[in-house]
Amino acid sequence: MQWEVVIGLEIHTQLNTNTKIFCGCSTGFGAAPNSHTCPVCLAMPGSLPVLNAEVVHKAILFGLGIHAQLNRESIFARKNYFYPDLPKGYQISQYELPVVGNGEVFIDLPDGSQKRIGITRAHLEEDAGKSLHEGFVGESGIDLNRAGTPLLEIVSEPDLRSSTEAVAYLKKMHALVRYLDISDANMQEGNFRCDANVSVRRPGEPFGTRAEIKNLNSFRFLEKAIEFEIERQIDLIESGGKVVQETRLYDANKNETRSMRSKEEANDYRYFPDPDLLPLILTDTQIDKARAELPELPDAKRQRFVEQYGLSVYDAGVLTASRALADYYESVAARVDPKLAANWVMGDLLGALNKAGLEIEQSPVSSEQLAGLLARIEDDTISGKIAKEVFEILFAEGGTADGIIDAKGLRQITDTGAIEKIIDEILAANPKQLADYRAGKDKLFGFFVGQAMKATQGKANPAQLNDILKRKLEA
C-alpha cells in the first residue's frame, strides 16, 4: 500500500563570529580543552551574559536572505534540561518570539521543477559544550570550549517528501549561509548539522507520529538515515506496531537508527524568559545596514549565469553551488570564452579537486593559471588534448601554462607543409588501409588521424590535420 513520507529539518548553524554569543571568549576550533572559557560560559555565580551584536547582524542577514518576517522584538528564554556538558543546567535560546519568523526557499528537483519549502522560524541560541569519550576509560571528559558558541537554528515546515528533497534542501541552506558569510558551515567540524523529523502516513490522512534523528553532519548520512527510518516505520506499522515519538541516533557503521530517548515536548523544558537579558529590539538602522550588505544570492546568480554567459540551467547551478566556486568561474570567464571556462571548471578542475579531496578554496590551480591555459587553446598554441597534459602539471607542480608549454615543447604544429609531409609518409606506409578507405571503408579515417597524431605526439592542429588528410585521401 502507498505511503507518504513527511520530513522537517532543524538545522543548527554555527555563526562565524570571532567571539561567543554572550561573552568575549574565542570561538576558534581545535584549541586545548577548556582554554576558551570564562566565568560567563562556565556559568560561575554572579556572571551575566552580554549579547554579541555581530550575532544579531548575521541573523538579520539570514532573515533577509530567505525573505522572512523579521520580528522587531524577540525574547531570549531559558530552556531547562540537564546534560553534563551544559554547565548552567539550561540553554539560553529563543522560544515564543524568535528573531526570524516565516520565510521560504526553493529547491530544485530531479525532474527540473522547483518546490517551495517554508521556513517556520530561525532563532538564536547558545551551543552546549562537548562530552569527550576517546582516551577515557570508564568515564567521560568535558570540553566547554564550544559552550556559548552562537547558533542559528533554522526550522523548516514539514514540506519535504523524500530523502532526495531533504538533501536538496540541506544543500540549499548550506550554500545560502556561506553566500551570506554568516557561517563557515564546515560539516566535519560540526558547525553545520541537522536533526531530521521523519514520519509516514497514508496520503490524505493526518501526520503520523514522528521520530527525530539527531546530529546528522553530512548530506550522505542525512539521506541514508532518512531512508532507513522510512523503511523502519513502514515495516513497524504494517506488522501491527506503532511508531513512538522519540529521539534516535544514526549509526553510520551499521547504517541504522536506534532509540536514544523519548522525545521531549516544550513543556518538559520549562521555558521562561531569561531575566538577565533584555528583549532584543531590531531597529531600522540595523536592518538597512544588513540589507545594504546582502550579496547576490544563489538563485539570482544562477539566473544571471544563464543569461550573461549562455550556460544551461544545470551548468549554472553547478557553478553557483558555492560562492567561492562562482567567483572562481567568473574570474576565468572574464578572460576566456565563458563556455570553454565552464567546461574546464566543471570537468577537469572539479574532477581533480574531488580526487585530491580539496575544496575550490584550496585549488592548486588559481583562476589566473587556468585562464592562462585556456587562452592557449583559444589561440591554437596547443590542442585540447595537450591542454589536459599541461593542466595535470599545473595541478601537481604549479607554474604557468606558457612556461610548461615552452619547457616541454608542446606548441601545436600549425605549419601546413609540415603536416602534409607527415600525412604523405603515413599514407605511403599504409597502402592497404589507403586502398580500403578509397574502396568505401570510411571508418579508416580515424585510423589515419590516430597515426598522424601519434607521429606528431598529439601536437598537430586537429582542424588542419583533418582538412589536409581528407583532401589527400580523396585525391
Side-chain angles (χ1 to χ4, degrees), residues 78-379:
R78 292 185 178 182
K79 181 181 181 183
N80 296 276
Y81 60 99
F82 174 75
Y83 269 7
D85 52 17
L86 188 66
K88 290 193 289 287
Y90 61 85
Q91 178 186 28
I92 301 177
S93 181
Q94 293 191 310
Y95 176 50
E96 291 180 312
L97 279 175
V99 62
V100 177
N102 292 330
E104 64 180 12
V105 294
F106 291 84
I107 62 171
D108 299 314
L109 300 181
D111 64 2
S113 64
Q114 285 197 322
K115 179 176 180 178
R116 177 189 179 279
I117 306 299
I119 309 296
T120 310
R121 57 189 280 146
H123 60 262
L124 290 168
E125 64 183 24
E126 61 179 344
D127 208 347
K130 189 175 181 182
S131 296
L132 306 175
H133 307 292
E134 291 185 9
F136 296 89
V137 179
E139 55 188 8
S140 296
I142 300 294
D143 179 7
L144 294 175
N145 281 348
R146 202 176 66 178
T149 297
L151 297 179
L152 187 68
E153 181 170 334
I154 306 161
V155 182
S156 82
E157 293 288 304
D159 291 339
L160 303 162
R161 292 292 177 269
S162 68
S163 61
T164 301
E165 290 185 9
V167 171
Y169 169 72
L170 190 64
K171 286 184 175 178
K172 185 86 177 190
M173 301 306 288
H174 185 261
L176 180 61
V177 299
R178 296 182 73 179
Y179 263 81
L180 292 168
D181 192 25
I182 64 171
S183 173
D184 298 334
N186 186 321
M187 301 178 85
Q188 286 73 34
E189 294 179 4
N191 58 33
F192 187 84
R193 57 191 191 270
C194 76
D195 304 336
N197 286 285
V198 181
S199 65
V200 297
R201 66 175 177 180
R202 306 288 189 193
E205 291 186 350
F207 288 150
T209 302
R210 70 183 189 276
E212 181 186 55
I213 312 170
K214 292 288 288 184
N215 287 332
L216 297 162
N217 65 349
S218 85
F219 302 118
R220 181 166 164 267
F221 289 170
L222 173 67
E223 181 180 25
K224 287 184 169 295
I226 289 175
E227 288 295 326
F228 177 88
E229 188 58 21
I230 292 170
E231 189 173 339
R232 184 189 73 86
Q233 292 188 18
I234 292 174
D235 288 347
L236 186 61
I237 296 171
E238 290 187 340
S239 62
K242 283 188 176 180
V243 176
V244 297
Q245 186 167 328
E246 62 181 349
T247 299
R248 300 179 68 85
L249 284 178
Y250 175 65
D251 185 331
N253 294 322
K254 296 181 178 178
N255 188 32
E256 64 179 23
T257 66
R258 62 171 181 266
S259 183
M260 177 182 177
R261 61 174 184 264
S262 61
K263 173 64 179 172
E264 297 89 347
E265 298 290 350
N267 288 340
D268 296 327
Y269 291 119
R270 296 175 290 114
Y271 282 100
F272 62 87
D274 192 305
D276 293 334
L277 287 162
L278 293 170
L280 171 59
I281 308 296
L282 302 188
T283 65
D284 289 340
T285 301
Q286 285 175 297
I287 296 172
D288 291 343
K289 179 175 182 291
R291 197 185 306 280
E293 292 180 11
L294 272 181
E296 184 181 34
L297 296 179
D299 290 347
K301 193 181 286 287
R302 181 177 65 176
Q303 184 59 34
R304 180 170 65 79
F305 276 23
V306 171
E307 295 170 358
Q308 181 175 343
Y309 299 121
L311 304 180
S312 68
V313 172
Y314 174 80
D315 288 355
V318 171
L319 292 169
T320 56
S322 78
R323 187 172 173 179
L325 179 59
D327 290 345
Y328 186 104
Y329 166 72
E330 288 214 272
S331 177
V332 179
R335 298 173 171 87
V336 298
D337 176 72
K339 289 188 177 179
L340 179 66
N343 290 339
W344 273 80
V345 171
M346 291 191 301
D348 297 78
L349 179 67
L350 289 186
L353 291 175
N354 185 53
K355 187 176 180 182
L358 299 175
E359 300 292 334
I360 186 69
E361 296 91 334
Q362 303 165 307
S363 174
V365 180
S366 69
S367 59
E368 291 78 10
Q369 288 172 302
L370 183 60
L373 171 62
L374 302 189
R376 296 291 80 82
I377 299 176
E378 286 188 324
D379 66 12

Side-chain angles (χ1 to χ4, degrees), residues 382 386 403-412 456-457 459:
I382 56 174
I386 293 295
I404 295 168
I405 291 167
D406 289 338
K408 301 282 184 182
L410 297 174
R411 287 185 183 278
Q412 196 162 236
T456 60
Q457 297 179 311
K459 293 186 284 186

